[in-house]
Amino acid sequence: MTEPVDTLTPVLTANWADERSWTLPAYESRGGYDALDRAFAMAPDDVVAMVKDAGLRGRGGAGFPTGMKWSFIPKDNPNPTYLVVNADESEPGTCKDIPLMMASPHTLVEGVIVSSYAIGANRAFIYVRGEVLHVIRRLRAAVREAYAAGHLGQDIHGSGFDLELVVHAGAGAYICGEETALLDSLEGRRGQPRLRPPFPAVAGLYASPTVINNAESIASVPSILNHGAEWFAGMGTEKSNGFGIFSLSGHVVRPGQYEAPLGITLRELLDLAGGIRPGHELKFWTPGGSSTPMFTSEHLDVPLDFEGVAAAGSMLGTRALQIFDDSVCVLRAVLRWTEFYKHESCGKCTPCREGTWWLVQTLTALEKGQGSEADLDLLLDQCDNILGRAFCALGDGATSPITSSIKYFRDEYLAHLIQGGCPFDPAASTVWADSGAASASGVTPAGSVEAGARTEAHR
Amino acid sequence: MALDEDTYAELREIGARYPQARSGLLPMLHLVQSVEGKVTPEGIEACADVLGLSPAEVSGVATFYTMYKRRPVGDYLVGVCTNTLCAVMGGDAVFERLQQHLGVGNDETTEDGRITLEHIECNAACDYAPVMMVNWEFVDEVTPDSAVDLVEDLRQGAERTSTRGARLCTWRQAERVLAGFEDDRVDEGPSAGEASLAGLRLAQEHAWSAPGLQPPGADRAGRAELSGDGQAGSVRERGAEREGTPDDKHRAVREADTHRAESETVQEESDD
């Protein structure tokens, strides 16, 4: 196949500008729910095979092949099988699933029905973070409409397939994006990750076979049914097939959602987004949220697919491209992320619970210009004692911004020590800094006082 | 004061949505907040009663999640995102200004009981930074001045609307929706904000689409002539030789990009 593919490939985002796009009539006017009959005409295993052939890989970060995940569901387990959609979008920088569910909740509902059919689930759940009221309204209404239209419930479209779908609102906990913590939360418990094995495919929700997929992964399934595995695989790169939503935020002229084939570069995306804000240069960016090691302007041409980003020392993650220009203190950014991980650590394992606390202490001192160069080694040692030793990926993720920022910006850490504080003016990084309309609200240097207050105020 | 019978009935109704009633505990606690204005001991006991749990078990869950409040919340819960991206884009300044203006600190309520202020973590709206949430509705691209203006209006009882959502309801009403009881505001607000549409607008402009699909907007624009001009730099050639998609577990594991996923699958394999 040598067909050129367009720079942007709106599929999931294609109907977001439609009039009342969230309603069933608007969705059906574009062929919505057509994928159901296509799926019902196939054996469930053939639907699984189709998604495998398409090469759809998990859009929630790790990139595990979706069809393969489905095929792990045992055929001989006497318990019911469940599908759980992870819509607990909380990774800093990630903002794709929320607008998807706001603008086109039916895309996700249709994906849930097809995917449930494929894996033999008669019960499905969408676990959506609780902090998005209007998105939850739209999802619930979509499910209600789908029931009324016969897309959900008993004997869907006369196929004999039954499906009950519940929209479940979380209650504020980043850790619940971790799939086994999500399951505990969905069972009405504290959201703490589980030891594996057993894996969710064998003993997930209610100790029954369970598939957990990211919302964007499931939302991509109807398009594969409608246009074929080859069509999907015809986009993207060799091992990272298809399209994905790239979320640009921060110091770019037009931040937003850009749906493109996997493998697009930041240079291309910045061109589309109007570039870095005028008068400034790119300093650092995250390819896939704060848990993925940061990149710099050296990495503008890294193909944003699973392999390309990994080869350059980071992870594609959720394609959450947070762009920071030269007005931003990297230490301030990293400290704030680290405070986030400390706040969100569930407390189950010692390396993460205690380690993130110590990371905050060490970074806070450095940010104030206290300590010595040896504290950088201390930080790296602390990271080394968390990475790979924590119960789940939260602890690992907490080390990414620190180790990567020391790798690329060691001198900036040292500058804090030399100057006895932060050399940056935090007012310069604000949206309104260059507009002249700044509201002089006197933020303390680098937010250091506030950072202290945050630490006190939490949990 | 114990919860009334109607609330008990609704708590049971929530539990009945799930194969196992305990799954309803999170929405049940949202309902408790909508009725009580916070998670009260009585609310915890009611959930425990309905689910056959001890109050300690319910309390253990309620204290884990940040959306559950142990102190009374005002009519409007105002959360300013101070995670890194929003913070540097101005969230820190917005939060500081609101603290000064309202005379409250983090997680505190104004004396008139109208506004509870807190700083929040990333709320998945980074392309609209800096972001503020009011009763979990988006207030996008906020400035210190616009934030003050909004909270003042809310204190005066003026109706305000989310920049990407519905008219703002009270916190208790919002908690009821989170518990799974729909209100009538789903059709308010747009499909998406402009940032969400940034890529789609460009695709419309350039008639870009996924292969074989009609370019977005083309149907509505009467399918204008789509000349493939001037976009040579925008297409990428794809290699003729493709290894295709992983077709076995071992290769899939090699190609997954986290060590964790790999080690888990290796473990699973040894489990088989």
Side-chain angles (χ1 to χ4, degrees):
Chain A
M1 286 185 3
T2 52
E3 282 293 300
V5 174
D6 287 350
T7 304
L8 292 175
T9 50
V11 177
L12 299 175
T13 57
N15 63 334
W16 289 9
D18 290 4
E19 189 73 21
R20 292 169 62 85
S21 62
W22 62 90
T23 62
L24 185 64
Y27 188 63
E28 286 183 332
S29 75
R30 277 185 173 260
Y33 290 99
D34 285 359
L36 267 56
D37 291 332
R38 289 197 172 87
F40 295 152
M42 299 164 68
D45 281 350
D46 292 340
V47 178
V48 175
M50 192 175 186
V51 171
K52 261 190 195 174
D53 290 346
L56 173 62
R57 295 171 62 174
R59 298 299 192 233
F64 198 83
T66 302
M68 182 159 308
K69 204 172 195 181
W70 293 1
S71 67
F72 290 159
I73 292 291
K75 302 284 182 201
D76 53 355
N77 193 306
N79 292 332
T81 296
Y82 297 105
L83 176 72
V84 178
V85 176
N86 185 345
D88 190 50
E89 183 166 65
S90 312
E91 169 75 13
T94 309
C95 48
K96 61 191 179 65
D97 300 336
I98 293 300
L100 172 84
M101 294 184 290
M102 175 108 87
S104 190
H106 283 287
T107 309
L108 181 59
V109 173
E110 185 179 15
V112 166
I113 299 163
V114 173
S115 306
S116 297
Y117 173 75
I119 64 169
N122 299 118
R123 285 264 195 174
F125 301 88
I126 297 173
Y127 186 111
V128 57
R129 66 181 303 181
E131 302 101 321
V132 284
L133 182 63
H134 208 52
V135 171
I136 291 166
R137 282 195 186 104
R138 294 255 165 105
L139 272 176
R140 286 230 167 84
V143 169
R144 173 167 44 76
E145 287 181 308
Y147 269 106
H151 301 318
L152 281 169
Q154 303 291 306
D155 189 23
I156 299 168
H157 290 203
S159 64
F161 175 66
D162 306 335
L163 182 65
E164 302 293 331
L165 173 58
V166 172
V167 175
H168 180 93
Y174 167 66
I175 188 61
C176 291
E178 198 281 338
E179 62 177 16
T180 62
L182 186 153
L183 291 176
D184 262 34
S185 180
L186 184 52
E187 290 182 0
R189 300 168 197 280
R190 294 165 77 90
Q192 294 188 314
R194 299 175 178 176
L195 194 62
R196 287 170 289 193
F199 291 87
V202 178
L205 186 65
Y206 313 131
S208 299
T210 304
V211 164
I212 307 160
N213 285 134
N214 170 258
E216 189 186 355
S217 308
I218 292 293
S220 300
V221 170
S223 70
I224 294 172
L225 268 287
N226 289 333
H227 305 292
E230 266 188 40
W231 168 83
F232 188 87
M235 287 175 267
T237 57
E238 190 180 306
K239 293 173 183 170
S240 298
N241 294 357
F243 48 83
I245 302 174
F246 291 80
S247 309
L248 265 77
S249 61
H251 292 130
V252 295
V253 172
R254 281 187 300 277
Q257 308 301 320
Y258 296 82
E259 191 174 8
L262 300 188
I264 194 169
T265 64
L266 181 64
R267 190 184 299 281
E268 291 173 286
L269 284 165
L270 281 179
D271 280 350
L272 297 171
I276 300 291
R277 68 172 173 165
H280 294 274
E281 288 177 2
L282 172 64
K283 182 171 176 182
F284 61 98
W285 55 291
T286 64
S290 60
S291 301
T292 62
M294 67 174 62
F295 278 163
T296 68
S297 54
E298 291 168 36
H299 304 95
L300 276 167
D301 297 309
V302 170
L304 295 174
D305 61 9
F306 293 105
E307 293 70 30
V309 180
S314 188
M315 290 177 285
L316 183 62
T318 48
R319 288 152 277 118
L321 307 152
Q322 302 174 91
I323 313 291
F324 299 92
D325 71 19
D326 49 18
S327 67
V328 181
C329 169
V330 74
L331 195 39
R332 175 188 180 202
V334 171
L335 172 59
R336 196 57 64 88
W337 278 321
T338 307
E339 289 176 321
F340 164 76
Y341 290 109
K342 168 183 165 283
H343 176 230
E344 299 296 338
S345 176
C346 79
K348 182 163 182 164
C349 77
T350 309
C352 176
R353 183 187 63 243
E354 307 297 322
T356 52
W357 190 88
W358 281 108
L359 291 175
V360 168
Q361 302 308 305
T362 313
L363 275 168
T364 301
L366 282 170
E367 208 254 358
K368 290 177 185 162
Q370 299 162 356
S372 72
E373 189 171 354
D375 287 331
L376 293 186
D377 296 328
L378 176 64
L379 262 182
L380 292 173
D381 187 49
Q382 288 167 342
C383 288
D384 192 44
N385 279 298
I386 298 171
L387 183 67
R389 291 167 169 80
F391 205 88
C392 78
L394 190 150
D396 294 353
T399 69
S400 292
I402 297 174
T403 49
S404 58
S405 64
I406 293 178
K407 178 177 167 189
Y408 297 119
F409 298 101
R410 193 179 181 93
D411 286 349
E412 195 162 310
Y413 277 82
L414 298 180
H416 284 70
L417 295 175
I418 293 163
Q419 301 207 11
C422 182
F424 289 84
D425 172 12
S429 68
T430 60
V431 172
W432 50 83
D434 295 342
S435 70
S439 148
S441 58
V443 176
T444 49
S448 56
V449 171
E450 195 174 63
R454 285 163 54 88
T455 309
E456 292 306 309
H458 271 305
R459 280 225 181 117
Chain B
M1 200 177 70
L3 277 68
D4 63 22
E5 207 30 64
D6 289 350
T7 305
Y8 264 88
E10 287 184 337
L11 289 173
R12 286 190 203 96
E13 182 186 332
I14 292 171
R17 294 178 198 148
Y18 300 87
Q20 295 184 14
R22 182 169 177 169
S23 282
L25 182 51
L26 267 57
M28 288 163 78
L29 287 165
H30 283 305
L31 185 69
V32 165
Q33 296 204 122
S34 81
V35 174
E36 300 271 274
K38 62 175 181 172
V39 174
T40 55
E42 292 77 11
I44 285 176
E45 275 175 33
C47 293
D49 270 0
V50 166
L51 295 177
L53 299 171
S54 69
E57 286 173 296
V58 174
S59 201
V61 174
T63 52
F64 185 83
Y65 298 92
T66 51
M67 289 178 78
Y68 299 134
K69 306 299 184 188
R70 311 296 289 227
R71 285 180 283 173
V73 173
D75 295 329
Y76 297 95
L77 176 61
V78 173
V80 180
C81 178
T82 56
N83 201 301
T84 298
L85 189 114
C86 276
V88 304
M89 301 292 283
D92 277 355
V94 171
F95 186 60
E96 186 156 320
R97 178 77 173 278
L98 283 179
Q99 283 181 304
Q100 288 166 0
H101 179 80
L102 296 171
V104 297
N106 183 47
D107 199 20
E108 290 177 7
T109 303
T110 53
E111 275 179 21
D112 59 9
R114 296 291 277 171
I115 309 282
T116 298
L117 179 68
E118 65 177 358
H119 70 77
I120 58 172
E121 299 299 353
C122 185
N123 221 83
C126 316
D127 43 347
Y128 297 94
V131 171
M132 189 165 96
M133 305 299 291
V134 176
N135 295 341
W136 308 118
E137 292 268 19
F138 290 109
V139 180
D140 298 324
E141 292 163 356
V142 72
T143 67
D145 289 342
S146 73
V148 165
D149 182 57
L150 176 60
V151 297
E152 271 314 301
D153 272 2
L154 294 174
R155 286 177 101 175
Q156 305 304 323
E159 185 167 88
R160 292 290 299 258
T161 302
S162 159
T163 49
R164 214 165 14 119
R167 287 168 295 135
L168 298 174
C169 60
T170 67
W171 180 73
R172 288 192 183 202
Q173 288 169 331
E175 283 292 317
R176 184 169 173 81
V177 175
L178 297 181
F181 298 96
E182 290 188 67
D183 61 11
D184 57 0
R185 299 188 181 192
V186 63
D187 290 332
E188 296 182 16
S191 296
E194 271 309 307
S196 306
L197 303 175
L200 182 62
R201 299 282 192 227
L202 275 179
Q204 287 171 334
E205 207 175 293
H206 295 277
W208 288 334
S209 70
L213 299 194
Q214 207 176 41
D219 47 344
R220 280 155 188 78
R223 185 117 185 125
E225 288 288 307
L226 302 176
S227 55
D229 63 345
Q231 289 148 26
S234 67
V235 295
R236 293 178 305 118
E237 298 295 323
R238 298 174 44 78
E241 294 287 23
R242 293 169 52 85
E243 281 184 46
T245 61
D247 50 5
D248 67 86
K249 198 183 277 185
H250 303 282
R251 193 169 144 211
V253 167
R254 278 201 309 277
E255 294 176 9
D257 77 351
T258 67
H259 296 300
R260 192 170 289 273
E262 289 182 24
S263 63
E264 281 168 2
T265 308
V266 170
Q267 283 169 33
E268 170 154 342
E269 195 175 44
S270 61
D271 245 25
D272 288 345

